[in-house]
Amino acid sequence: MFVNAMPRYEILSEDAMAVLDRGWRRIVTEIGIEFLLDEAVEAFRAAGQQVDGQKVILDPQFVLEQVAQAPREFDLQARNPERSIHVGGQHMAFASVYGCPFVRQGAERREATMDDFENLVRLSQAFPELDSPGGTICEPNDRPLDSRHLDMVYALQTLSDKPYMGSVTSGPNAEDTIAMGEILFGGRAAIEATPASISLINVNSPLRYDDRMLASMFEYVRAGQPVVITPFLLMGAMSPVSVPATLVQQMAEALAGIALAQLLRPGCPIVFGSFLSNTDMQSGSPSFGTPESAIGLFCTGQIARSFGLPWRSGGGLNSSQTVDAQAAYESLMTMLPTFLAGANYVMHSAGWLEAGLVSCYEKFIVDVEILRQLKHEFTPLEIDEDSLAFGAHEEVGPGGHFLGAAHTLERFRECFYRPLLSSTENFERWKRNGGLDATARAEVIWRRTLEEYEQPPLDEAVRVELEEYVTRRRAELGD
């Protein structure tokens, strides 16, 4: 996986950090956070926090004491040990798009199916730039709602040997994910020793955790499985129209959830999540790839590090309806700050389109190309005597060229970035080869990748046990 050894881009002064610190403390003490699950409220009450119905007024010092118990870094195991990932520090892990109800394939936009889900898992497996297929890469609407999570987790476990994300739509769905992880990795002790799944817990911003997310969080945390606690903040809708105010709200919401997780299981791995952008106040639609979201991303990294927490943000976010220049530049406007700020866990790294409504095959390839280029740019340059190539100057001399020099012939394959998607042909050759634009070339690549895909091996006894579990649970759910 990628290690980002570059310096972090931090834009907040000590005074600014102090103002933000006072802001989140004021929210949790004067306004409070709602938790729509009685068990969560009782956990806070038992810990001595003030409770008013489902609203909890928190002592900031208590919050900080709980947050301090979360590990700075942790490992997430894959069924192929070579693909296990490390979350935190200088490491950056990249997962595919998440949560889209629709799919775009060429000019066609339609409801996502299980075939699409499986194809996107295969693409995630095929490209080494991605460390995880993620979780709900798309929503397979052709499968029953109550049991489709079983099909998705099974596909994540069998079509890829990379770490995966769990279902969070209910507590029982989380229980199923954990049980299937126990089957895949050899029991509860094995996944508690090293977590086998990571799951997204969204805050119902502003200042509220709903019961379904909390029920899922309880199951995962009690099993020692990490959760990404993420305020869902669109400035002007779920937070005030101000980056500082939104940062303060994000801190209050995330830290309250992290404190709860540590109450349930001290030392459980947690990721400080951020999903921060703004609303187009003319249309009411969410905007992505904006300067405001990039500024929020820089600040979030600095804030998370101040608490000693691994953090999630970034991705190939955009608001475009198709794979065009807007989709590319807005995605880069989010992914470049992601690298500069050093996000540890990056969701939506490939395939995001139309403000997150669409998982797109061609956009998946465009995003992989962006990832490949940024990883190349953010790899520190090694400078030594050999890299100065004085011998090449001796060979060529003044006025010559280096195309046929020994140094060039020996090293050009390893020294230069080799594009996956970009065309470097001259116009005449490009026309002879079909005159394909980037979107058309992306289609050629994803289709070829699926044709060449090879399913990673899985122990047959484990496969049978997983299939039996899915079949039994589907019958219990009436599907």
Side-chain angles (χ1 to χ4, degrees):
M1 63 180 300
F2 184 70
V3 176
N4 185 351
M6 294 292 196
R8 299 295 179 260
Y9 191 69
E10 297 189 340
I11 63 176
L12 296 173
S13 66
E14 289 186 11
D15 288 344
M17 289 287 285
V19 172
L20 295 176
D21 184 66
R22 290 194 295 272
W24 78 262
R25 291 169 182 262
R26 188 174 183 187
I27 287 178
V28 300
T29 56
E30 297 183 25
I31 299 174
I33 311 289
E34 284 190 345
F35 293 86
L36 305 187
L37 185 70
D38 291 341
E39 194 174 355
V41 174
E42 290 307 311
F44 281 119
R45 189 197 307 274
Q49 302 307 292
Q50 182 182 341
V51 172
D52 179 13
Q54 293 182 308
K55 184 170 70 174
V56 180
I57 302 297
L58 293 162
D59 174 3
Q61 190 57 40
F62 162 81
V63 172
L64 293 176
E65 290 171 357
Q66 298 304 312
V67 169
Q69 298 183 79
R72 289 177 173 268
E73 305 177 30
F74 60 90
D75 291 320
L76 190 63
Q77 66 172 315
R79 68 177 177 91
N80 177 354
E82 294 181 0
R83 299 187 187 277
S84 295
I85 64 176
H86 186 78
V87 180
Q90 294 185 323
H91 291 75
M92 298 182 71
F94 299 91
S96 303
V97 66
Y98 184 105
C100 307
F102 301 102
V103 156
R104 188 178 185 95
Q105 180 180 328
E108 181 186 16
R109 181 189 187 271
R110 52 179 169 74
E111 285 196 344
T113 67
M114 194 65 206
D115 284 343
D116 294 314
F117 186 94
E118 292 174 347
N119 280 338
L120 291 166
V121 175
R122 293 184 181 101
L123 290 175
S124 303
Q125 171 71 13
F127 289 103
E129 288 75 23
L130 294 169
D131 301 287
S132 168
T136 309
I137 310 180
C138 65
E139 190 72 42
N141 291 296
D142 58 341
R143 295 295 172 91
L145 179 62
D146 290 341
S147 63
R148 67 177 59 156
H149 68 284
L150 299 167
D151 301 317
M152 289 190 283
V153 173
Y154 179 79
L156 292 167
Q157 291 180 323
T158 58
L159 299 179
S160 173
D161 59 8
K162 298 178 181 181
Y164 56 90
M165 300 186 73
S167 177
V168 293
T169 47
S170 71
N173 287 11
E175 288 184 70
D176 285 329
T177 303
I178 294 166
M180 293 174 73
E182 292 173 0
I183 294 171
L184 187 66
F185 290 96
R188 183 63 166 253
I191 68 170
E192 290 197 10
T194 305
S197 64
I198 185 169
S199 302
L200 175 65
I201 303 300
N202 278 328
V203 184
N204 191 3
S205 304
L207 308 178
R208 173 181 288 171
Y209 282 79
D210 69 44
D211 56 341
R212 295 170 71 88
M213 281 288 168
L214 285 171
S216 297
M217 173 181 161
F218 271 52
E219 296 297 336
Y220 285 120
V221 168
R222 284 173 170 161
Q225 305 305 290
V227 290
V228 185
I229 297 180
T230 304
F232 191 102
L233 301 172
L234 295 176
M235 289 178 278
M238 283 90 89
S239 70
V241 185
S242 157
V243 173
T246 300
L247 291 171
V248 165
Q249 180 181 328
Q250 176 178 259
M251 294 167 74
E253 292 177 349
L255 294 176
I258 295 169
L260 174 59
Q262 297 306 310
L263 272 181
L264 298 174
R265 182 169 178 146
C268 181
I270 298 292
V271 176
F272 183 112
S274 174
F275 188 85
L276 187 162
S277 194
N278 55 288
T279 305
D280 182 339
M281 301 309 293
Q282 292 182 318
S283 67
S285 299
S287 297
F288 295 101
T290 65
E292 291 79 13
S293 63
I295 292 168
L297 204 160
F298 292 138
C299 296
T300 299
Q302 189 171 348
I303 290 166
R305 284 188 289 273
S306 74
F307 291 108
L309 295 168
W311 67 290
R312 165 254 165 155
S313 192
L317 311 186
N318 65 93
S319 300
S320 182
Q321 287 74 37
T322 188
V323 188
D324 57 5
Q326 178 188 342
Y329 69 69
E330 287 182 347
S331 293
L332 182 61
M333 277 290 291
T334 308
M335 195 57 88
L336 180 57
T338 300
F339 275 76
L340 288 167
N344 300 118
Y345 193 80
V346 185
M347 297 177 62
H348 311 303
S349 299
W352 167 295
L353 198 65
E354 200 180 322
L357 289 175
V358 171
S359 299
C360 177
Y361 285 81
E362 290 78 19
K363 178 62 162 42
F364 195 102
I365 304 303
V366 171
D367 288 333
V368 168
E369 178 77 306
I370 291 173
L371 261 182
R372 295 176 78 243
Q373 293 195 22
L374 287 174
K375 287 186 177 184
H376 196 78
E377 289 181 20
F378 279 79
T379 298
L381 183 63
E382 294 185 9
I383 299 179
D384 55 23
E385 286 299 321
D386 185 59
S387 67
L388 300 183
F390 187 77
H393 283 290
E394 290 181 317
E395 177 185 347
V396 172
H401 67 76
F402 294 87
L403 291 174
H407 182 273
T408 301
L409 296 176
E410 291 168 359
R411 294 171 174 81
F412 75 95
R413 292 184 185 276
E414 63 188 52
C415 289
F416 293 153
Y417 175 80
R418 303 178 70 185
L420 168 71
L421 175 63
S422 303
S423 171
T424 58
E425 299 170 313
N426 61 37
F427 179 78
E428 289 74 17
R429 179 178 295 178
W430 175 74
K431 286 290 289 184
R432 287 198 304 271
N433 290 335
L436 303 180
D437 63 12
T439 303
R441 292 194 298 273
E443 180 179 359
V444 171
I445 292 170
W446 73 253
R447 288 188 182 278
R448 184 180 67 231
T449 302
L450 290 181
E451 289 173 0
E452 296 173 352
Y453 163 84
E454 293 184 5
Q455 187 164 328
L458 176 65
D459 181 83
E460 188 60 26
V462 172
R463 183 188 303 278
V464 169
E465 190 173 355
L466 285 170
E467 291 175 351
E468 290 175 347
Y469 181 89
V470 170
T471 300
R472 182 176 72 254
R473 285 290 293 133
R474 191 183 287 121
E476 292 171 355
L477 293 167
D479 294 333

